[in-house]
Amino acid sequence: MLSQRNLFFSSLLFISFAGLAQQSGLRSVGPRTDERSPAESKPTPEAPSSESKAESQRQTVSSVQWASRVVGVSSEKKGDNYGEQYKAVQALGRPNKLPDIGESPCAWAPFYVDGTADEWIQVGFAKPIRARQIVVAENVNPGSVVKVIAIDEKGAEHIVYEATSIQPRTDPLLHIFPKDSALVCQQVKVVINGAALKGLNQIDGIGISEEVKPITVNIVVSKDTPKEIKKENLGKTVNSVGQEVAPVISPDGRTLYFTRNFNKANIGASDRQDVWYSTLESGVGGNSSGWSEAVNIGAPINNTGDNAISGMSADGRTAYLINVYRPDGSMIFGISRSTRTKTGWSQPVECRIANNYNLHEKNQLEFCVSPDGRAIILAVQRKDTHGDRDLYVSLKKTDTTWSEPASMGGIINSADFESSPFLAADGRTLYFTSGGHPGLGNGDIFVSRRLDDSWNNWSEPENLGPSINTDEWDGYFTIPASGDYAYLSSRGGSLGEDDIFRLKLYPAIKPDPVAIITGTVLDSKSKKPVASQIVSNVVGDQKGLEKVNYNPESGEFKLILPTQKAYTLTASREGYFPTVETIDLSKDKRFRDIRKSILLVKIETGQKITMREVLFEQSQFALLPGADVELDRVVDMLGKYPDMELLIEGHTDNQGEWEPNMKLAEDRVRVVKEYLLSKGIPPARIQTKAWGPSKPIASNGTEEKRKLNRRVEFTILKL
């Protein structure tokens, strides 16, 4: 197995063993068991079962204010050299471990394992309130609290709890109801006798409430979580008696890449891990529908080492791989990419990330790539990591290198591990595995949504619930752009070792809907494909949203665009006038698959260039905001060809009276000419003609047809 070798860079694959060591007897090197022994990572006998924890998720939570700052602490257990494990700050905010119990780096622990008789922590609250209830969450050795002191606004201390004897409790929550119901509390000091109950003592949270209803601690679960979700095994064409892990589904949902182990057809050895793939067959032409027989992707992606694909571009032509491939065939820590050409996959080249290092003892790395290819999300341990591993983002720079990884912040990251990230096609819905947020097992899958254009402002992570998460390690969600199914690895119900499964996503955890735009760019006359660049923009925003290069030899272009917005697609190539197409997705609330052919007009004498509603409102001749961008393309063309002369022609539909339509056409061509003249174009190079409704190119029977007739045309008279 990988865990028995010196090559630990292929960390994407290690996690598949986490939580399975109990069943298989294999030495797990997954993130959860790296930090804790199996006994520590498993719930104690008194811990709530998954069923009871799932029930607790449905209970109403009393209004509670959790501590927001540390005032003082007697001591802190030492964690890693980097991070905030076991520190006093881990007692702030809502509990990280409960309702599960057991040791956690996300809770405060005193320095000494068996403790002393007078360990204490004092915390403050953002807003002083009448404390009719105080709650202390003890995730290890409940019962070690011997005294609780409430401090009022004047600094006076009030003993609200004092133990007469020290006895273990099964309930991790100590509820205290002060006799003085008018006590206004701004700080709480908790004293524990760690020497009385042998072993580690931890405080997971301290809260106050104005209510007397006992405070409960729940897992934050996505709403409307179904009780059962069927996991469907993809069958023998994909899975084998060996091991299939780490699936990556292409955005169009047609190709599934995964890593296979224990297979004699692997390039290195049967116990080396190779990339394989399977395609979804439609069942036409006499072929059966379903997933095709899996094929080894071959060299150069696979070599004698351990190989895995961790991300795929929107067009399916760029694969992102673990490790850096060296010329001598060896591999080192890092990320590479390979491009699919008409002759196959190219030799992987390094994605150069500034100051890219990993302090994790196993050098474990997992990552995903954003749908637009501009960001890589990495799970690594660095000097500013909160815990074992955190999620970081690296952004692509103009020189195609990548920025130094930056932390994605404390909402996502905890003092335990975060791993296995996947960013959905909408570019804002993130799925990841964490051991630091309240969960059901040794690492649960969570979902969080990006709240703005930054990479450190996220919604509170939500647990995907007991229908997906188990009492072991769970991870490796991968979702196509359609957002209908998720693919993952699991051992339960497999043909042997781990298999690839899929499950239907329920609405609360689906990413936002997107559209896949697939198409070609053609010469307007010959209708032959033209290599070109396509840039997408949100209407009214000229900042390029996404850029793709269309190469006829490598297939169609693909763009992924979130719905509920309108976009322009601009295709350009030297020697051609840029073509702008509008795609209105503003009313779409479901996934769409759109095919588009864009025609490019070659710059030559006699060619006619048409612009429609990008310039004017209906029945108006004042230029729309943003029309200058389109007209500036004409200015640029006239600048490149100093002898060029143009005829500007104005057309309308047939709605209304003839004379007003003629006047409207005249005004429109006049406004366009005046704009070009304002940019320094000599008047002699511009001629105008207004046709009104006299030259329709479509019937005027429907509004869609009338839109085609409302246009401004530029004819090249001379080059």
Side-chain angles (χ1 to χ4, degrees):
M1 302 304 296
L2 285 180
S3 56
Q4 299 171 323
R5 296 201 180 97
N6 294 324
L7 181 62
F8 288 105
F9 307 116
S10 312
S11 58
L12 175 68
L13 312 177
F14 294 160
I15 312 301
S16 60
F17 299 111
L20 300 175
Q22 298 292 319
Q23 302 173 12
S24 64
L26 299 175
R27 173 173 168 256
S28 170
V29 293
R32 190 73 175 193
T33 49
D34 276 349
E35 282 73 67
R36 289 178 288 280
S37 69
E40 292 170 329
S41 63
K42 296 288 285 183
T44 62
E46 293 81 10
S49 66
S50 294
E51 182 176 343
S52 65
K53 284 188 284 188
E55 180 60 33
S56 75
Q57 296 158 14
R58 303 180 179 94
Q59 296 174 359
T60 302
V61 183
S62 301
S63 175
V64 58
Q65 181 183 175
W66 298 103
S68 60
R69 71 183 189 280
V70 175
V71 178
V73 66
S74 58
S75 68
E76 296 172 323
K77 174 179 167 65
K78 183 176 175 59
D80 290 345
N81 292 331
Y82 306 100
E84 299 177 344
Q85 301 97 323
Y86 304 104
K87 293 185 180 296
V89 294
Q90 298 304 327
L92 303 181
R94 60 177 291 127
N96 295 308
K97 182 67 175 177
L98 268 60
D100 199 358
I101 61 175
E103 181 181 343
S104 171
C106 300
W108 168 66
F111 181 80
Y112 295 102
V113 173
D114 288 326
T116 63
D118 58 351
E119 297 284 3
W120 57 271
I121 183 171
Q122 186 170 332
V123 296
F125 298 87
K127 180 183 178 181
I129 62 172
R130 282 196 315 154
R132 301 185 68 190
Q133 180 180 180
I134 298 173
V135 65
V136 180
E138 297 178 87
N139 56 296
V140 177
N141 267 341
S144 63
V145 175
V146 294
K147 185 184 293 185
V148 177
I149 302 169
I151 297 104
D152 63 24
E153 293 176 292
K154 296 180 180 179
E157 296 186 350
H158 307 264
I159 298 176
V160 294
Y161 173 81
E162 197 163 16
T164 56
S165 63
I166 300 176
Q167 298 292 333
R169 291 194 326 273
T170 56
D171 186 355
L173 294 177
L174 172 63
H175 297 91
I176 302 163
F177 302 93
K179 294 180 180 179
D180 182 1
S181 61
L183 173 63
V184 176
C185 178
Q186 71 169 358
Q187 295 181 20
V188 168
K189 182 177 181 179
V190 177
V191 182
I192 65 175
N193 185 345
L197 296 178
K198 294 297 183 182
L200 188 70
N201 301 102
Q202 286 197 273
I203 301 295
D204 195 16
I206 301 169
I208 57 177
S209 176
E210 294 180 319
E211 299 181 11
V212 294
K213 181 180 180 180
I215 293 169
T216 59
V217 176
N218 303 331
I219 298 173
V220 179
V221 177
S222 299
K223 64 179 180 179
D224 301 325
T225 304
K227 291 184 177 180
E228 293 185 4
I229 295 179
K230 182 181 178 181
K231 294 179 180 178
E232 174 191 350
N233 191 303
L234 294 191
K236 294 182 179 180
T237 58
V238 172
N239 296 312
S240 69
V241 294
Q243 183 186 57
E244 285 75 36
V245 294
V248 173
I249 188 73
S250 62
D252 65 5
R254 308 297 302 178
T255 307
L256 180 71
Y257 301 91
F258 59 93
T259 300
R260 174 171 280 176
N261 198 8
F262 307 131
N263 191 286
K264 293 181 180 179
N266 284 357
I267 287 180
S270 63
D271 61 346
R272 289 286 190 179
Q273 295 173 318
D274 274 9
V275 175
W276 292 63
Y277 70 95
S278 173
T279 56
L280 188 60
E281 304 293 345
S282 60
V284 298
N287 297 319
S288 58
S289 61
W291 292 100
S292 67
E293 192 72 34
V295 177
N296 189 304
I297 203 169
I301 287 179
N302 288 330
N303 57 22
T304 56
D306 294 294
N307 313 109
I309 287 177
S310 199
M312 185 64 60
S313 63
D315 61 8
R317 290 199 288 269
T318 301
Y320 295 88
L321 316 165
I322 57 173
N323 303 322
V324 174
Y325 289 61
R326 286 177 151 180
D328 63 1
S330 63
M331 294 187 292
I332 60 173
F333 170 77
I335 296 172
S336 298
R337 60 181 173 82
S338 175
T339 302
R340 182 161 55 87
T341 68
K342 62 180 181 180
T343 59
W345 291 94
S346 66
Q347 178 65 32
V349 296
E350 180 182 4
C351 296
R352 296 187 179 275
I353 301 174
N355 196 24
N356 189 25
Y357 65 88
N358 191 3
L359 297 173
H360 194 270
E361 61 180 350
K362 302 297 185 182
N363 220 6
Q364 290 184 356
L365 163 71
E366 293 161 350
F367 71 92
C368 68
V369 181
S370 64
D372 61 7
R374 295 182 181 181
I376 298 176
I377 297 176
L378 309 94
V380 292
Q381 187 178 50
R382 293 172 64 87
K383 292 181 179 179
D384 60 345
T385 296
H386 290 72
D388 173 75
R389 282 187 296 159
D390 280 1
L391 298 188
Y392 291 80
V393 64
S394 175
L395 303 178
K396 194 172 187 178
K397 299 192 290 187
T398 54
D399 63 359
T400 71
T401 64
W402 298 81
S403 66
E404 181 174 356
S407 173
M408 292 173 64
I411 297 174
I412 293 290
N413 293 317
S414 71
D416 209 322
F417 69 85
E418 276 68 46
S419 62
S420 185
F422 174 77
L423 189 65
D426 61 3
R428 65 181 293 265
T429 305
L430 175 69
Y431 304 84
F432 65 100
T433 296
S434 174
H437 298 285
L440 302 163
N442 295 338
D444 282 10
I445 304 172
F446 293 81
V447 60
S448 179
R449 290 173 172 84
R450 192 174 164 202
L451 300 179
D452 55 30
D453 288 339
S454 73
W455 289 90
N456 56 11
N457 188 15
W458 297 85
S459 66
E460 182 179 9
E462 296 178 352
N463 192 295
L464 296 194
S467 297
I468 294 176
N469 289 315
T470 69
D471 59 359
E472 298 293 350
W473 188 94
D474 299 286
Y476 292 133
F477 248 40
T478 179
I479 303 172
S482 61
D484 49 0
Y485 287 92
Y487 295 80
L488 68 160
S489 299
S490 180
R491 176 163 295 189
S494 69
L495 303 178
E497 302 287 337
D498 303 74
D499 279 358
I500 308 295
F501 292 76
R502 75 171 186 173
L503 54 86
K504 194 169 184 62
L505 291 177
Y506 57 93
I509 65 170
K510 280 188 174 185
D512 292 341
V514 299
I516 292 183
I517 316 298
T518 306
T520 57
V521 181
L522 308 175
D523 183 286
S524 62
K525 278 189 174 180
S526 68
K527 300 301 187 290
K528 292 182 178 179
V530 177
S532 52
Q533 183 183 76
I534 299 97
V535 179
S536 64
N537 293 282
V538 176
V539 170
D541 184 356
Q542 296 308 313
K543 182 176 68 174
L545 184 67
E546 187 173 352
K547 297 179 181 179
V548 296
N549 290 317
Y550 168 62
N551 183 349
E553 291 187 353
S554 55
E556 299 171 311
F557 71 81
K558 286 186 189 297
L559 287 165
I560 297 177
L561 301 175
T563 61
Q564 302 182 54
K565 292 181 180 179
Y567 300 89
T568 59
L569 299 186
T570 304
S572 59
R573 177 191 167 95
E574 189 69 28
Y576 287 79
F577 187 80
T579 296
V580 179
E581 297 270 357
T582 300
I583 295 182
D584 189 356
L585 305 175
S586 59
K587 296 181 181 179
D588 291 302
K589 296 183 179 180
R590 295 183 178 180
F591 169 74
R592 288 195 62 190
D593 194 346
I594 299 172
R595 302 194 68 83
K596 196 80 175 173
S597 290
I598 301 175
L599 300 179
L600 276 181
V601 177
K602 194 170 186 178
I603 298 175
E604 59 186 10
T605 301
Q607 283 281 28
K608 185 171 290 188
I609 301 162
T610 302
M611 292 185 181
R612 294 189 175 87
E613 291 180 302
V614 294
L615 299 182
F616 305 100
E617 287 279 8
Q618 186 174 354
S619 302
Q620 303 293 321
F621 61 84
L623 289 173
L624 280 171
D628 56 334
V629 177
E630 303 306 319
L631 292 177
D632 284 344
R633 302 185 201 278
V634 179
V635 174
D636 290 341
M637 179 177 67
L638 289 165
K640 289 180 180 178
Y641 300 89
D643 295 328
M644 179 183 285
E645 295 180 6
L646 292 180
L647 170 63
I648 305 174
E649 299 172 278
H651 302 266
T652 68
D653 59 29
N654 69 348
Q655 301 299 290
E657 298 296 327
W658 181 273
E659 289 187 4
N661 277 332
M662 288 297 296
K663 180 66 166 56
L664 178 62
E666 291 171 359
D667 288 336
R668 285 182 170 179
V669 294
R670 174 181 55 80
V671 168
V672 171
K673 180 175 181 178
E674 288 174 353
Y675 184 88
L676 299 180
L677 298 184
S678 73
K679 296 295 182 177
I681 305 300
R685 298 177 64 188
I686 307 297
Q687 299 180 35
T688 61
K689 177 68 176 177
W691 294 100
S694 64
K695 289 193 173 184
I697 57 173
S699 74
N700 284 292
T702 65
E703 175 57 22
E704 289 301 313
K705 296 294 185 181
R706 289 192 290 270
K707 283 182 180 180
L708 299 176
N709 292 327
R710 298 193 294 263
R711 66 198 189 277
V712 173
E713 295 176 336
F714 299 80
T715 301
I716 300 174
L717 300 176
K718 177 184 175 184
L719 273 178

